Amino acid sequence: MRVFLTSVSSVTVIVLIMALGYVLRKKQWFSDDFGKNISSLITKIALPASIFMAVMKNLTRDKLLSLSTGLLFPALAVVIGYLIAWIAVKVLKIQPGRRGIFMNAVVNANTIFIGMPLNNALFGDKATTYFLIYYIVNTVSTWAFGVFLISNDDPTIDKNTQKKHEINWKKILPMPLVGFIVAIFWMLLKLPVPNFAGETLTYVGSLVTPLSLIYISIVLADAGLNNMRLDRDSVLALLGRFVLSPVILIFLIKFGAGFGLNLPALMRQTLVVQSATPMLAVLPILANEAHGDVKYATNIVTISTVAFILVVPILMGILQFI
């Protein structure tokens, strides 16, 4: 019962913020360009700041080294997830503009906005170190590869007329990934973060969650709630996120145990729960940046966030048998 109440509490906050943005957009408080403006603010400024400070606050050189063995399981799970999602895109003929979104939906989780507070509520501070394992893998997966899949799926670009040797460094090195790389080097070099800089980056980084949710609500208001539906591509993405992703990780953990790579029970629980958290809140924003299907991205993010209330208790019950 406690797990269910925690899930409801976490999701209720998100729903209320989205409801606020929805009402304000309907009342014309937000201009037509406001959504585009905040999407740029989030991806180019707020997210890099948020990721930088998250690394500074939660990681040390010793922690990074101690987590190296545990990184193997979620890293392999991500690779396998991408392969299966890519095959699904080809076999099921997912339409252009949705392909990158679909693969990200299956593989990458909302670890910061939902995963972290839920993990603290379920397992306490003692599981924070294990949470960082999934956070590192998910961050690198999202900003080193996931965002590239979305930008490369831009339906407005004619692939036949692109310059074959042209390198778009903005796509290869998006600002959130730059923020993560800088943070890792900053941490490894043990450079201090001045108080004024740390507080500034913390405040700016804290904009990510509310602005991302407000952006989603703006898209919902423009599209109309009655247009939200469980079409084939949405159902497939939800199955990938809530079923395929944790099943792959559970299989790898069991397989590794057979070869003597036994993970602590708390680590196993933390990794599996994180693998089944909802889709990235910034997915619609990334889709918008790449001229993808923003309505589809918004649809699956919203449904996955609400459905998560029921997923967590089921998942926690399954964990008892792992």
Side-chain angles (χ1 to χ4, degrees):
M1 187 62 180
R2 175 175 170 271
V3 174
F4 180 75
L5 292 177
T6 301
S7 306
V8 172
S9 177
S10 299
V11 175
T12 298
V13 175
I14 294 172
V15 172
L16 288 176
I17 296 176
M18 289 176 62
L20 173 63
Y22 182 89
V23 171
L24 294 181
R25 173 57 176 162
K26 284 295 186 181
K27 290 183 173 294
Q28 300 298 315
W29 280 37
F30 300 144
S31 67
D32 293 339
D33 293 329
F34 184 69
K36 296 179 181 179
N37 294 336
I38 62 175
S39 71
S40 296
L41 173 62
I42 292 170
T43 56
K44 297 175 183 176
I45 298 177
L47 253 177
S50 175
I51 291 172
F52 180 88
M53 291 310 299
V55 172
M56 291 295 101
K57 291 177 180 178
N58 298 310
L59 270 183
T60 63
R61 182 183 300 180
D62 293 337
K63 279 186 178 180
L64 190 61
L65 292 174
S66 66
L67 298 177
S68 57
T69 302
L71 285 169
L72 176 65
F73 293 93
L76 284 175
V78 163
V79 173
I80 294 172
Y82 274 126
L83 287 174
I84 295 176
W86 179 79
I87 293 172
V89 164
K90 297 296 183 181
V91 173
L92 300 172
K93 302 185 185 306
I94 305 295
Q95 68 186 53
R98 289 187 174 187
R99 295 168 180 172
I101 297 169
F102 176 83
M103 287 186 276
N104 271 271
V106 172
V107 177
N108 298 317
N110 195 341
T111 53
I112 290 296
F113 310 142
I114 297 179
M116 182 182 290
L118 179 68
N119 202 70
N120 291 337
L122 294 178
F123 307 121
D125 293 337
K126 59 184 180 293
T128 300
T129 301
Y130 300 140
F131 166 79
L132 291 175
I133 294 175
Y134 203 90
Y135 167 74
I136 292 171
V137 173
N138 192 75
T139 299
V140 174
S141 170
T142 301
W143 303 111
F145 191 61
V147 70
F148 170 77
L149 292 175
I150 294 177
S151 61
N152 197 50
D153 187 38
D154 190 334
T156 64
I157 296 178
D158 186 350
K159 300 295 190 297
N160 296 322
T161 59
Q162 274 186 301
K163 295 180 181 179
K164 293 183 178 180
H165 302 291
E166 183 180 7
I167 298 177
N168 190 333
W169 289 105
K170 290 183 179 179
K171 292 182 178 180
I172 296 176
L173 289 174
M175 285 308 297
L177 178 60
V178 171
F180 181 76
I181 294 173
V182 171
I184 292 295
F185 276 103
W186 204 279
M187 178 266 295
L188 292 175
L189 294 174
K190 295 184 177 180
L191 298 175
V193 179
N195 289 335
F196 73 90
E199 290 183 10
T200 301
L201 290 174
T202 298
Y203 280 125
V204 173
S206 65
L207 295 173
V208 173
T209 302
L211 287 184
S212 296
L213 296 175
I214 287 176
Y215 176 82
I216 293 173
S217 65
I218 290 174
V219 176
L220 278 174
D222 291 342
L225 287 176
N226 58 327
N227 291 325
M228 287 187 60
R229 63 193 64 188
L230 283 172
D231 58 17
R232 188 202 65 159
D233 291 354
S234 297
V235 171
L236 290 172
L238 291 168
L239 288 175
R241 178 92 296 271
F242 291 137
V243 179
L244 178 64
S245 183
V247 164
I248 292 173
L249 190 51
I250 291 171
F251 172 79
L252 289 174
I253 291 173
K254 299 291 285 185
F255 184 78
F259 288 89
L261 294 176
N262 293 298
L263 300 180
L266 188 57
M267 181 186 289
R268 295 197 302 267
Q269 294 174 342
T270 298
L271 294 179
V272 173
V273 167
Q274 292 304 312
S275 71
T277 49
M279 298 160 195
L280 295 164
V282 295
L283 204 54
I285 295 173
L286 297 178
N288 178 68
E289 293 287 313
H291 308 104
D293 192 335
V294 179
K295 292 181 181 179
Y296 172 68
T298 302
N299 189 45
I300 58 177
V301 168
T302 305
I303 295 175
S304 70
T305 301
V306 176
F308 188 58
I309 298 174
L310 301 177
V311 171
V312 174
I314 295 173
L315 196 60
M316 292 299 290
I318 295 174
L319 287 178
Q320 300 176 20
F321 302 99
I322 299 177

